[in-house]
CSV table of all heavy atoms in Angstrom, one decimal:
chain,number,residue,atom,x,y,z
A,152,VAL,N,22.3,54.2,71.0
A,152,VAL,CA,21.3,53.4,70.5
A,152,VAL,C,21.8,52.6,69.3
A,152,VAL,O,21.6,51.4,69.2
A,152,VAL,CB,20.1,54.2,70.0
A,152,VAL,CG1,19.1,53.4,69.2
A,152,VAL,CG2,19.4,54.8,71.2
A,199,ALA,N,8.3,40.2,69.9
A,199,ALA,CA,7.5,41.3,69.4
A,199,ALA,C,8.0,41.6,68.0
A,199,ALA,O,9.1,41.3,67.7
A,199,ALA,CB,7.5,42.5,70.3
A,200,ASP,N,7.1,42.2,67.2
A,200,ASP,CA,7.5,42.6,65.9
A,200,ASP,C,8.3,44.0,66.0
A,200,ASP,O,8.5,44.4,67.1
A,200,ASP,CB,6.4,42.7,64.9
A,200,ASP,CG,5.4,43.8,65.2
A,200,ASP,OD1,5.6,44.7,66.1
A,200,ASP,OD2,4.3,43.8,64.6
A,201,ASP,N,8.7,44.5,64.9
A,201,ASP,CA,9.5,45.8,65.0
A,201,ASP,C,8.8,47.0,65.6
A,201,ASP,O,9.4,47.9,65.9
A,201,ASP,CB,10.1,46.1,63.6
A,201,ASP,CG,9.0,46.4,62.6
A,201,ASP,OD1,7.9,45.8,62.6
A,201,ASP,OD2,9.3,47.3,61.7
A,202,LYS,N,7.5,46.9,65.6
A,202,LYS,CA,6.7,48.0,66.2
A,202,LYS,C,6.3,47.7,67.7
A,202,LYS,O,5.7,48.5,68.3
A,202,LYS,CB,5.4,48.2,65.4
A,202,LYS,CG,5.6,48.4,63.9
A,202,LYS,CD,6.0,49.8,63.6
A,202,LYS,CE,6.0,50.1,62.2
A,202,LYS,NZ,7.1,49.5,61.4
A,203,GLY,N,6.8,46.5,68.2
A,203,GLY,CA,6.5,46.2,69.6
A,203,GLY,C,5.3,45.4,69.8
A,203,GLY,O,4.9,45.0,70.9
A,204,TRP,N,4.5,45.1,68.7
A,204,TRP,CA,3.3,44.3,68.8
A,204,TRP,C,3.7,42.8,69.1
A,204,TRP,O,4.6,42.3,68.5
A,204,TRP,CB,2.5,44.3,67.6
A,204,TRP,CG,1.9,45.7,67.3
A,204,TRP,CD1,2.3,46.6,66.4
A,204,TRP,CD2,0.8,46.3,68.0
A,204,TRP,NE1,1.5,47.7,66.5
A,204,TRP,CE2,0.6,47.6,67.5
A,204,TRP,CE3,0.0,45.9,69.1
A,204,TRP,CZ2,-0.4,48.4,67.9
A,204,TRP,CZ3,-1.0,46.7,69.5
A,204,TRP,CH2,-1.2,48.0,69.0
A,224,LYS,N,6.8,43.4,78.1
A,224,LYS,CA,7.3,44.8,78.1
A,224,LYS,C,8.7,44.9,77.7
A,224,LYS,O,9.2,45.9,77.1
A,224,LYS,CB,7.1,45.5,79.5
A,224,LYS,CG,5.6,45.8,79.8
A,224,LYS,CD,5.5,46.4,81.1
A,224,LYS,CE,4.1,46.8,81.4
A,224,LYS,NZ,3.9,47.6,82.6
A,225,LYS,N,9.5,43.9,78.0
A,225,LYS,CA,10.9,43.9,77.6
A,225,LYS,C,11.1,43.8,76.1
A,225,LYS,O,11.9,44.5,75.5
A,225,LYS,CB,11.7,42.7,78.3
A,225,LYS,CG,11.8,42.9,79.8
A,225,LYS,CD,12.5,41.7,80.4
A,225,LYS,CE,12.6,41.8,81.9
A,225,LYS,NZ,13.5,40.8,82.5
A,226,SER,N,10.3,42.9,75.5
A,226,SER,CA,10.4,42.8,74.0
A,226,SER,C,9.8,44.1,73.4
A,226,SER,O,10.4,44.6,72.4
A,226,SER,CB,9.7,41.6,73.5
A,226,SER,OG,8.4,41.5,73.9
A,227,TYR,N,8.8,44.6,73.9
A,227,TYR,CA,8.2,45.9,73.4
A,227,TYR,C,9.3,47.0,73.5
A,227,TYR,O,9.5,47.7,72.5
A,227,TYR,CB,6.9,46.3,74.2
A,227,TYR,CG,6.4,47.7,73.9
A,227,TYR,CD1,5.6,47.9,72.8
A,227,TYR,CD2,6.8,48.7,74.7
A,227,TYR,CE1,5.1,49.2,72.6
A,227,TYR,CE2,6.3,50.0,74.5
A,227,TYR,CZ,5.5,50.3,73.4
A,227,TYR,OH,5.0,51.5,73.1
A,228,THR,N,9.8,47.2,74.6
A,228,THR,CA,10.8,48.3,74.8
A,228,THR,C,12.0,48.1,73.9
A,228,THR,O,12.4,49.1,73.2
A,228,THR,CB,11.3,48.2,76.3
A,228,THR,OG1,10.3,48.5,77.2
A,228,THR,CG2,12.4,49.3,76.5
A,229,SER,N,12.5,46.9,73.7
A,229,SER,CA,13.6,46.7,72.8
A,229,SER,C,13.3,46.9,71.4
A,229,SER,O,14.1,47.5,70.6
A,229,SER,CB,14.2,45.3,73.0
A,229,SER,OG,14.8,45.2,74.2
A,230,ALA,N,12.1,46.6,71.0
A,230,ALA,CA,11.6,46.9,69.6
A,230,ALA,C,11.5,48.3,69.3
A,230,ALA,O,12.0,48.8,68.3
A,230,ALA,CB,10.3,46.1,69.3
A,231,ILE,N,10.8,49.0,70.2
A,231,ILE,CA,10.6,50.5,69.8
A,231,ILE,C,11.8,51.3,70.1
A,231,ILE,O,11.9,52.4,69.4
A,231,ILE,CB,9.3,51.0,70.5
A,231,ILE,CG1,9.5,51.1,72.1
A,231,ILE,CG2,8.1,50.2,70.2
A,231,ILE,CD1,8.5,52.0,72.7
A,232,MET,N,12.6,51.0,71.0
A,232,MET,CA,13.8,51.8,71.3
A,232,MET,C,15.1,51.3,70.5
A,232,MET,O,16.1,51.9,70.5
A,232,MET,CB,14.2,51.8,72.8
A,232,MET,CG,13.1,52.4,73.7
A,232,MET,SD,12.7,54.1,73.2
A,232,MET,CE,14.2,54.9,73.5
A,233,LYS,N,14.9,50.1,69.9
A,233,LYS,CA,16.0,49.6,69.1
A,233,LYS,C,17.3,49.3,69.9
A,233,LYS,O,18.4,49.6,69.4
A,233,LYS,CB,16.2,50.4,67.8
A,233,LYS,CG,15.0,50.6,67.0
A,233,LYS,CD,15.2,51.4,65.8
A,233,LYS,CE,14.0,51.6,64.9
A,233,LYS,NZ,12.9,50.7,65.0
A,234,MET,N,17.1,48.9,71.1
A,234,MET,CA,18.3,48.6,72.0
A,234,MET,C,17.9,47.7,73.1
A,234,MET,O,16.7,47.5,73.3
A,234,MET,CB,18.8,49.9,72.6
A,234,MET,CG,17.8,50.6,73.5
A,234,MET,SD,18.2,52.3,74.0
A,234,MET,CE,19.8,52.0,74.9
A,239,LEU,N,18.7,50.9,78.6
A,239,LEU,CA,17.9,52.1,78.7
A,239,LEU,C,17.9,52.7,80.1
A,239,LEU,O,17.7,53.9,80.3
A,239,LEU,CB,16.4,51.8,78.3
A,239,LEU,CG,15.5,52.9,78.0
A,239,LEU,CD1,16.1,53.8,76.9
A,239,LEU,CD2,14.2,52.3,77.5
A,252,LEU,N,11.3,59.2,80.2
A,252,LEU,CA,10.7,58.4,79.1
A,252,LEU,C,9.8,57.3,79.6
A,252,LEU,O,8.7,57.0,79.0
A,252,LEU,CB,11.8,57.9,78.2
A,252,LEU,CG,11.4,56.9,77.0
A,252,LEU,CD1,10.7,57.8,76.0
A,252,LEU,CD2,12.5,56.2,76.4
A,256,ASP,N,5.4,56.4,78.6
A,256,ASP,CA,4.8,55.2,78.0
A,256,ASP,C,4.9,54.1,79.1
A,256,ASP,O,6.0,53.6,79.4
A,256,ASP,CB,5.6,54.7,76.7
A,256,ASP,CG,5.0,53.5,76.0
A,256,ASP,OD1,4.2,52.8,76.6
A,256,ASP,OD2,5.4,53.3,74.9
A,257,PRO,N,3.7,53.7,79.6
A,257,PRO,CA,3.7,52.7,80.7
A,257,PRO,C,4.2,51.2,80.2
A,257,PRO,O,4.5,50.4,81.1
A,257,PRO,CB,2.3,52.6,81.1
A,257,PRO,CG,1.5,53.1,80.0
A,257,PRO,CD,2.4,54.1,79.3
A,258,LYS,N,4.4,51.0,78.9
A,258,LYS,CA,4.9,49.7,78.5
A,258,LYS,C,6.4,49.7,78.5
A,258,LYS,O,7.0,48.6,78.3
A,258,LYS,CB,4.3,49.3,77.2
A,258,LYS,CG,2.8,49.1,77.2
A,258,LYS,CD,2.3,48.4,76.0
A,258,LYS,CE,2.3,49.3,74.8
A,258,LYS,NZ,1.8,48.8,73.5
A,259,ILE,N,7.0,50.8,78.6
A,259,ILE,CA,8.5,50.8,78.6
A,259,ILE,C,9.0,50.4,79.9
A,259,ILE,O,8.5,50.8,81.0
A,259,ILE,CB,9.1,52.2,78.3
A,259,ILE,CG1,8.8,52.5,76.8
A,259,ILE,CG2,10.5,52.3,78.5
A,259,ILE,CD1,9.3,53.9,76.3
A,260,ILE,N,10.0,49.5,79.9
A,260,ILE,CA,10.5,48.9,81.1
A,260,ILE,C,12.1,49.0,81.1
A,260,ILE,O,12.7,49.0,80.0
A,260,ILE,CB,10.1,47.4,81.3
A,260,ILE,CG1,10.3,46.9,82.6
A,260,ILE,CG2,10.8,46.5,80.2
A,260,ILE,CD1,9.5,45.7,83.0
A,266,TYR,N,15.9,42.3,74.0
A,266,TYR,CA,16.9,42.5,73.0
A,266,TYR,C,16.3,42.6,71.6
A,266,TYR,O,15.4,41.9,71.3
A,266,TYR,CB,17.9,41.3,73.0
A,266,TYR,CG,18.5,41.0,74.3
A,266,TYR,CD1,17.9,40.2,75.3
A,266,TYR,CD2,19.7,41.7,74.7
A,266,TYR,CE1,18.5,40.0,76.5
A,266,TYR,CE2,20.2,41.5,75.9
A,266,TYR,CZ,19.6,40.7,76.8
A,266,TYR,OH,20.2,40.5,78.1
A,267,PRO,N,16.9,43.5,70.8
A,267,PRO,CA,16.4,43.6,69.4
A,267,PRO,C,16.9,42.5,68.5
A,267,PRO,O,18.0,41.9,68.8
A,267,PRO,CB,17.0,45.0,69.0
A,267,PRO,CG,18.1,45.2,69.8
A,267,PRO,CD,17.9,44.5,71.1
A,274,VAL,N,16.3,46.8,62.7
A,274,VAL,CA,15.5,46.0,63.8
A,274,VAL,C,14.3,45.5,63.1
A,274,VAL,O,13.5,46.2,62.6
A,274,VAL,CB,15.2,46.9,65.0
A,274,VAL,CG1,14.3,46.2,66.0
A,274,VAL,CG2,16.5,47.3,65.7
A,276,GLY,N,12.4,43.0,64.9
A,276,GLY,CA,11.6,42.4,66.0
A,276,GLY,C,12.5,42.5,67.3
A,276,GLY,O,13.6,43.1,67.3
A,277,ALA,N,12.0,41.9,68.3
A,277,ALA,CA,12.7,41.9,69.6
A,277,ALA,C,12.2,40.7,70.4
A,277,ALA,O,11.1,40.2,70.2
A,277,ALA,CB,12.5,43.2,70.3
Side-chain angles (χ1 to χ4, degrees):
V152 169
D200 69 11
D201 63 324
K202 306 284 189 283
W204 292 105
K224 288 182 176 189
K225 292 179 181 188
S226 56
Y227 170 83
T228 299
S229 291
I231 67 162
M232 296 305 296
K233 302 181 181 342
M234 64 189 299
L239 195 54
L252 176 71
D256 182 342
K258 291 193 293 185
I259 289 179
I260 196 161
Y266 302 91
V274 173

